[in-house]
Amino acid sequence: MAKGSRGRIVRIGAAQSGPVQKSDGRQAVVARLLELMKQAKAEGCDLVVFTELALTTFFPRYYAEDRADMDPWFETAMPNPATRPLFDFAAGNGIGFSLGYAELTPEGRHFNTQILVDNNGRIAAKYRKVHLPGHADYEPRRSFQHLEKRYFEPGDLGFPVSRAFGGVVGQCICNDRRWPETFRVMGLKGVELVVLGYNTPSTNSLRPEETAATRMHQNHLCMQAGAYQNSCWVVGVAKAGSEDGHHLMAGTAIVDPDGFIVAQADTEDDELVVHDCDLDACRFLKETTFNFVAHRRTEHYKIICEQTGAKPPK
Ligand code: CDV
């Protein structure tokens, strides 16, 4: 549908990042993100979605005995001098963005964070990753480490949604997309658009025979299911390619409320994927198949909040 013709159209630029190497400074990375924002502006986008930990390499693959040694990967303020150009561009050009980064708070807490910045360059919403994958200690059995549980605390903000860009917008980050609870909590808040970034290795460090194709299938499957089951748009944005010899999958995708991928990245590099997302397209399934008031049976769902592990019958 052409922008402006009918419906509540948000033109979204899903801004995939190519690899970011250990030695790449914030300024160089932000210059790449800014290029994508300029391209998005030229293509008439309202909102640019960047990836998880967009400003750095995916540092949880590296082990540090003293976790404080990892603090240089974290941002102590947002905006800060390095990221200020993104905010200035947003304010000067009336375009919003979401951005993932490692957050170190004044109290010394560490989070894997994503912010939503409005088209005035103001932070409209903040999300801190709830589902942290991986492990907290060095594990020699793995072919590479995934130490998110060592370097981050689980997010403490829940899954907030906010009114922005003419609709109801929610955020999650990477591993969150694999959990139906993530989308359903936001679905119960009327979410119409979920934006998320991901850094997903193309191989499984514990199951080398798992193919990249299987992992890409699972990446898309969970976003498509989350979109359909909650009748919302989902925009999933990768950091892709080889970082220090470790390959991250691409597959940046925009998924419609029927669960179809309507636009997808072709490369493993910096690439903007643009689509007009009609938020009114969320209405039909929200009012019929997924009319929560009419069909949900909460009396049978309590176990979801009371139990983590599965307990099969004896
Ligand atoms: N950054 C991530 O959260 N990555 C996980 C990997 C470890 C499986 C993901 O769910 O994609």
Side-chain angles (χ1 to χ4, degrees):
M1 182 187 298
K3 192 178 180 187
S5 61
R6 65 189 167 88
R8 280 180 298 142
I9 306 291
V10 186
R11 183 167 288 181
I12 296 189
Q16 178 172 285
S17 287
V20 175
Q21 305 306 334
K22 231 177 160 178
S23 56
D24 292 344
R26 302 283 203 286
Q27 260 188 331
V29 177
V30 168
R32 284 168 54 186
L33 302 183
L34 199 55
E35 270 314 303
L36 287 162
M37 271 190 92
K38 287 179 183 169
Q39 196 183 326
K41 176 64 193 171
E43 296 197 30
C45 291
D46 304 295
L47 171 62
V48 181
V49 181
F50 292 117
T51 190
E52 175 191 30
L53 299 177
L55 304 173
T56 63
T57 197
F58 191 70
F59 63 83
R61 76 171 69 89
Y62 301 114
Y63 176 75
E65 184 70 37
D66 181 355
R67 70 156 329 291
D69 289 347
M70 303 304 277
D71 282 354
W73 297 113
F74 287 74
E75 314 301 316
T76 53
M78 191 58 65
N80 57 35
T83 56
R84 171 61 68 190
L86 298 174
F87 289 77
D88 288 347
F89 188 86
N93 293 277
I95 184 169
F97 66 93
S98 72
L99 178 76
Y101 64 97
E103 177 190 12
L104 174 52
T105 73
E107 300 76 32
R109 302 178 70 190
H110 299 78
F111 295 103
N112 187 340
T113 296
Q114 186 176 292
I115 48 170
L116 185 67
V117 177
D118 69 19
N119 58 9
N120 293 308
R122 284 191 292 256
I123 296 177
K126 179 186 273 192
Y127 170 70
R128 290 170 171 161
K129 187 175 183 178
V130 166
H131 299 101
L132 297 174
H135 46 107
D137 295 311
Y138 188 82
E139 291 191 1
R141 70 191 174 123
R142 291 176 183 262
S143 53
F144 55 90
Q145 303 296 297
H146 195 107
L147 290 154
E148 285 197 61
K149 279 184 161 47
R150 185 176 187 82
Y151 301 134
F152 301 115
E153 284 181 48
D156 61 349
L157 302 175
F159 295 99
V161 303
S162 49
R163 290 206 174 271
F165 302 97
V168 180
V169 183
Q171 306 185 78
C172 67
I173 300 177
C174 196
N175 192 261
D176 289 319
R177 75 196 186 286
R178 302 186 191 274
W179 298 90
E181 294 89 342
T182 298
F183 290 102
R184 181 46 49 90
V185 168
M186 290 192 272
L188 286 166
K189 298 177 182 183
V191 78
E192 296 175 312
L193 166 66
V194 176
V195 296
L196 71 99
Y198 59 88
N199 284 246
T200 300
S202 301
T203 53
N204 185 333
S205 65
L206 297 175
R207 192 159 74 152
E209 69 277 16
E210 194 173 280
T211 66
T214 298
R215 290 172 67 75
M216 183 62 83
H217 160 70
Q218 291 161 349
N219 167 41
H220 286 154
L221 178 69
C222 56
M223 294 194 289
Q224 291 178 258
Y228 168 63
Q229 291 169 343
N230 296 281
S231 193
C232 62
W233 292 86
V234 174
V235 179
V237 178
K239 174 138 64 62
S242 179
E243 292 191 340
D244 201 10
H246 297 276
H247 191 265
L248 298 169
M249 68 170 66
T252 292
I254 299 179
V255 185
D256 76 10
D258 283 307
F260 287 111
I261 294 176
V262 291
Q264 193 175 332
D266 295 323
T267 73
E268 295 189 342
D269 223 319
D270 293 1
E271 179 181 346
L272 189 74
V273 178
V274 177
H275 189 78
D276 283 344
C277 300
D278 179 5
L279 302 184
D280 283 341
C282 301
R283 277 183 53 193
F284 179 74
L285 285 175
K286 279 189 193 296
E287 290 172 358
T288 57
T289 310
F290 297 113
N291 179 336
F292 292 161
V293 173
H295 306 307
R296 291 186 80 243
R297 306 290 349 171
T298 54
E299 69 272 29
H300 299 297
Y301 304 159
K302 288 193 175 53
I303 190 172
I304 288 176
C305 286
E306 290 169 352
Q307 196 176 308
T308 50
K311 292 183 192 165
K314 291 226 166 63

